[in-house]
Amino acid sequence: MYRTALRNVLAHKGRLLMTALAVMLGTAFVAGTMVFSDTFGKAMRDSNSKSYSDVSVQVVDRAAGSAASARQKSEGGSAALTDATVQQLSALPGTAGARGVVSGFTGVADKKGNLIGQVWAAKGANFAPGQDGKDPRYPMVEGQGPKTAKEVALDRKTADKGGYKVGDTVRVAANGPVVEAKLTGVFTTDDPVVNTGGSLTLFDRATAQQTLLEPGRYSGIVLTAKPGTSQDALLAQAQPVVPSGHQFDVETGAKLKADEQDMITRSTSSMRTMLLVFAFISLFVGIFIIANTFTMLVAQRTKELALMRAIGASRKQVTRSVLIEALLIGTASAVAGLLAGIGIGAGMQSLIGAMNENMPNGSLVIKPLTVVVTVVVGVLVTVMSALLPAMRASRIAPVAAMSSGDQPVSQKSLVVRNTIGSVLAGGGLALIGYGASTGNDSGRLPVGLGAFLALIGVFVLLPLLSRPVVALVGPLLRGLGGTPGKLAQQNAVRNPRRTAATAAALTIGLTLVTGLTVIGASVNDTIDRAVTSSMKADFIVGAANGMSLSEQVPAQIAKAPGVAASSAMTTAYWDLNGTSRTVNGLDAAVLDQLADVELTSGSTAGFGQGQLLLDEDAAKKLNVTTGSVLTVAYPDESAGKLTVGGVYKAGGMLGPVMLANSEIAKHEPKPYVSDVLVKGKDGATDGLKQALKDATGANPVIEVKSKQDVRDEFSQTITFALNLMYGLLGMAVLIAILGVVNTLAMSVFERKREIGMLRAIGLDRSGIKRMVRLESVVISLFGAGIGLLLGCFIAWAINGTLKASLSGLTTVLPYGQLAMFLALAGVVGLVAAIWPARRASKLDILSSIKTD
C-alpha cells in the first residue's frame, strides 16, 4: 500500500500540481510573515539600542511642556527639573556627569516653505557642549553647534533634504511663530527619530528652553555613572534628589533599553499577528481546494481502490494510502513554501526599505520556530483536508470494481448535511443580529462568532443552494451559449458538492472583500457628512502635529485679507453635573456664519449670553433638556451654574458640548486652541488659502484645509487601509482562482468520454471551449454572489457595533464597487477556464470515447 501511494503521487504529478501550489502559497505567506517580522523586529531593536548607550540613569518630567504644568508651576504648585536639580545630581558620589535635556516638537521648512519629513517625527533639542565646545551626542561634520538665539544646527539627512548648507537661513517653528535662524552646523546622530526619517533641530540651551518648554526648565536629565558604580547604585542615589511628584520617572539606562525593546517586540508581534491572520485565511481557502482535489482523485480511482479491496486490502490500508499521498504532497509543498517564504520575507524587507530609505535594515532572521511552524502547518492542513476523502475511499465496496462512475450519495447523508448547515447558518445569523442590536463594542464578540458560524453553515449548505441558483441563470446561459450554455448549466449542477467546494473558496474572499468595502464606504460617508453637515466655514486652520495653536494665530488670521469671519475653536475639560466633559468653544458673534447647528430644541440666541448647547447624546447622558441648569466645576477650583440653551443633532465637528469662547476664557486664561474656522468673503478661493498661509508666516507646522481637503484626508486614510487589506487578501483570492482551474481541469479529465461523444455528434472545438468557460463563470459568479450577500450582512452588523463610537454611522452599499467585484469574479472564471477549455477542445475524439 505504501508503494502504491508513492506510485500514485509520482504517476499523477500534473493533477496534484494545483493542490501542491495552493499549499505552497499558503505556507509561503506564513513563512514570509514570520521571517519579515523577525528580521524587521531585530533591525528595529538594534537601531534603538544605541539610544541609551551613554545613559546610566535618566530622569524624565512627563508633564514638561504641558500648559497645565506651566500654569501650576507659575502658581507654585508643581516642581520642575532645573539647573539646581542638575547640579544636585552631578554632585552625587556615583555621578561622572549630568546633563539637562530639552526636547519637544520642532518643524523645519524646506526652501519652498513645506515641512521636511513627517510631522510626528519632527524633533527639537538642546545643544549641550562640554568644555571643548563639543556635544558627544551630536558630532558635527560641518560647522559648529548653535550659541545664540538666531542659530540652529540640523542633522545631515534633514539638511540634505532641504538643500541647506552651513551659513544658510533656515525657517523653523514649534507651536509659536516661525523663527529664521542661521545654520551653523550639520551633525550626525544615532537618534532613532532621525534614523527612521525624522528631523532633529538643535538650539542653544536657553533658546531650546524658551521655545520648547519655558526658561530654566528641562524635560529630562541624563546621568553617567563613574567607573565601578552600577546603574542600580546610581539610581538609588538619584531618587532622593529628584523633586517629589508623580510626574517624574527615574529609571536606569538598562531598564529604559529593555522597555524600548519590549515595546518594539510587542508592536512587531501585533504586526505579525495581523499578517498571520491573512495567511491562515489563505490556508483556509486552500483547505477547500485540497479536499476537492482528493475527493475527485478518489472518484477517479473508484475501480482501482475497489479492486484493491477485492484482493484483500483492508479499509485502514486504503485510508492510509490516501493519507500518505497527502503527507508526501504536504511535506514537499511546505518545504517549497518555506523557501518561497524566505524570499517573500526578503522582498518585504526590501520593499519597506525602498518606500522609506531611513527604515532600519539588517540580515534575514530565519528562526527554527519559523521552519517548524511552516512545515507542520503545511503538512497538517494537507492531511486533515484529505481525511474525509480518505475515509470515503475506504468505504468503497469491492463490487464497485465491476462498475464505473461515482458512488451515489445517500439521501440520509444529504439530509444530515443540510440539517447541520441550517442549524449553523441560522445560529450564526441570529448571533450577528444580536451583536448588531447592542449598538456598542460589546456586540463585536457575538458578531465575530456569528460570522464564523454563518460562514461555515453557508459552506455546508452550498450544494443545496447551487441547484436553484444555477437554475435561475439557465435561460441566460442558453441565450448566450446555446447548446454549450445548456450543457454548462447541467455540468455545474451535476455534482453539487464539487461545485460548492470550488465556489466556497471564492465565497470566503468575496465575503471579506465586500465586508471591508461596505464598512469603509459607511465610515467614509459618516465622516463626510460630519464635516459637511455642521461646517459652514470655508477653511480650517490647525497645527499639523495636533497640538494647540499659538495664541497669536487666531488674531493673525482675523487680519488676513479676504476673511469675512473667523473664530478660534477652543477646548476645555470641565465637570458638568459631576461628569467630566469636553467643552468646545466658538465666538458667539460668528457662530451662525461658521457652523450649522441643527437644533432639535431651543435656539442659538442664548449662546452669546453664556448658555450651553448640547448634542442629543450628551443631553441624554446628563439627563437634561433645553432650559435645564447644570452645575459646573471649573479647573480653577471655582464652581458655577450654566443653563442649557438648546439641543442639537449628534455628530459632526462641533463636539458634544458648546459654549462661547468668552465664557471659557473666564476660567481658562490660555485655553487649548485646536483649530481656527474661517469664512471667506468670496468663498474658498486659492487666494484666500494663500493669504491665510501668509498671515501665519508661512509656518510649515500650520495647515490650511478646505472642506474638500478634510474629506480627502479621511478618504485617503480609509482607502489606504482598504488597499492594504485587499493586498493581503490577494493571496487568498489567487488560491481561490487555482481552485477553479483545478476543479475544471480534473472535471475535464473525468468527462473525457463525454466530451469525445459530444465532438462525435457534431459539437465543434469552439463549442467545447464555450461550455467549459460558461461552467467556470457560473461557478465563480455563484460563489461571488453568496460572498457579496454575506459580506454586506456582516458589514451591517459590524457597523451596528460601531455606532456608539462613531455617531451617525449608517450602512452604505457602494453599488458600483459591488457590481465591479461581481464582474471581476466573472472575469476570474473566464481566465481560470482558459487552460482547461483548451485542453478539453484538443482531446482526440476516438481516444476519448475509448476512455474507461
Side-chain angles (χ1 to χ4, degrees), residues 100 102-108 122-129 135 137-138 140 144-154 170-175 177-182 184-185 187 199-213:
V102 182
S103 180
F105 170 80
T106 302
V108 183
K123 180 181 172 184
N126 62 314
F127 182 69
D135 187 335
R137 297 174 300 165
Y138 310 114
M140 295 291 164
Q144 60 184 11
K147 297 179 179 178
T148 69
K150 291 295 183 180
E151 294 180 347
V152 296
L154 295 176
V170 179
R171 302 174 73 251
V172 298
N175 286 338
V178 176
V179 175
E180 293 189 349
K182 179 181 178 182
T184 61
F187 59 90
S199 63
L200 179 58
T201 306
L202 296 182
F203 303 91
D204 69 280
R205 177 182 57 81
T207 305
Q209 290 176 329
Q210 176 69 39
T211 304
L212 305 178
L213 296 176

Side-chain angles (χ1 to χ4, degrees), residues 135-354:
D135 187 335
R137 297 174 300 165
Y138 310 114
M140 295 291 164
V141 292
E142 294 180 38
Q144 60 184 11
K147 297 179 179 178
T148 69
K150 291 295 183 180
E151 294 180 347
V152 296
L154 295 176
D155 67 271
R156 179 192 287 276
K157 291 180 180 179
T158 302
D160 290 343
K161 289 177 183 176
Y164 290 120
K165 297 180 180 179
V166 172
D168 289 348
T169 297
V170 179
R171 302 174 73 251
V172 298
N175 286 338
V178 176
V179 175
E180 293 189 349
K182 179 181 178 182
L183 182 63
T184 61
V186 177
F187 59 90
T188 58
T189 177
D190 290 330
D191 192 306
V193 171
V194 176
N195 291 337
T196 53
S199 63
L200 179 58
T201 306
L202 296 182
F203 303 91
D204 69 280
R205 177 182 57 81
T207 305
Q209 290 176 329
Q210 176 69 39
T211 304
L212 305 178
L213 296 176
E214 56 186 273
R217 188 171 188 177
Y218 294 101
S219 53
I221 299 174
V222 173
L223 306 182
T224 305
K226 288 180 178 178
T229 302
S230 68
Q231 293 187 359
D232 290 332
L234 184 56
L235 176 68
Q237 296 175 18
Q239 284 175 328
V241 179
V242 175
S244 59
H246 297 294
Q247 71 194 58
F248 299 104
D249 291 330
V250 188
E251 297 287 357
T252 63
K255 178 66 165 55
L256 292 169
K257 180 179 177 180
D259 290 345
E260 187 87 10
Q261 303 282 45
D262 186 55
M263 183 187 70
I264 293 171
T265 299
R266 287 198 304 271
S267 62
T268 53
S269 177
S270 299
M271 175 184 66
R272 173 193 286 204
T273 300
M274 183 191 73
L275 292 174
L276 283 176
V277 166
F278 287 93
F280 284 110
I281 288 172
S282 298
L283 284 170
F284 186 57
V285 172
I287 286 173
F288 291 92
I289 298 175
I290 300 166
N292 205 18
T293 300
F294 276 94
T295 298
M296 288 188 286
L297 288 175
V298 168
Q300 291 172 13
R301 288 160 48 198
T302 298
K303 295 180 71 173
E304 174 189 334
L305 294 173
L307 185 60
M308 293 180 68
R309 289 291 315 282
I311 63 176
S314 67
R315 287 189 174 186
K316 287 184 178 180
Q317 287 178 312
V318 171
T319 302
R320 201 177 298 132
S321 69
V322 177
L323 292 179
I324 289 171
E325 287 185 52
L327 178 65
L328 294 173
I329 296 167
T331 302
S333 303
V335 171
L338 174 63
L339 297 176
I342 294 171
I344 290 173
M348 292 174 71
Q349 184 75 355
S350 299
L351 179 63
I352 291 292

Side-chain angles (χ1 to χ4, degrees), residues 95 123 156 211 216 447 497 511 556 608 677 779 820 844:
T95 301
K123 180 181 172 184
R156 179 192 287 276
T211 304
V447 168
R497 285 185 172 180
T511 297
Q556 292 171 339
L677 303 185
I779 294 174
M820 182 186 70
D844 182 79

Side-chain angles (χ1 to χ4, degrees), residues 470-490:
V470 175
L472 287 175
V473 298
L476 179 62
L477 288 175
R478 289 192 292 272
L480 290 174
T483 299
K486 182 178 181 180
L487 291 171
Q489 178 198 357
Q490 293 172 348

Side-chain angles (χ1 to χ4, degrees), residues 650-724:
M653 56 174 289
L654 299 177
V657 183
M658 291 179 61
L659 188 64
N661 278 335
S662 57
E663 294 298 316
I664 292 178
K666 292 177 182 179
H667 304 279
E668 298 273 0
K670 292 184 178 180
Y672 182 94
V673 180
S674 59
D675 300 288
V676 179
L677 303 185
V678 181
K679 185 73 174 177
K681 295 178 181 177
D682 300 317
T685 63
D686 292 337
L688 177 58
K689 187 173 186 177
Q690 188 60 49
L692 295 175
K693 287 183 177 180
D694 294 340
T696 59
N699 193 322
V701 178
I702 294 178
E703 295 179 330
V704 180
K705 300 177 184 176
S706 65
K707 281 185 184 181
Q708 192 59 47
D709 292 334
V710 176
R711 288 194 194 102
D712 292 344
E713 188 176 87
F714 283 110
S715 177
Q716 287 170 3
T717 302
I718 294 171
T719 301
F720 174 79
L722 287 176
N723 288 339
L724 176 63

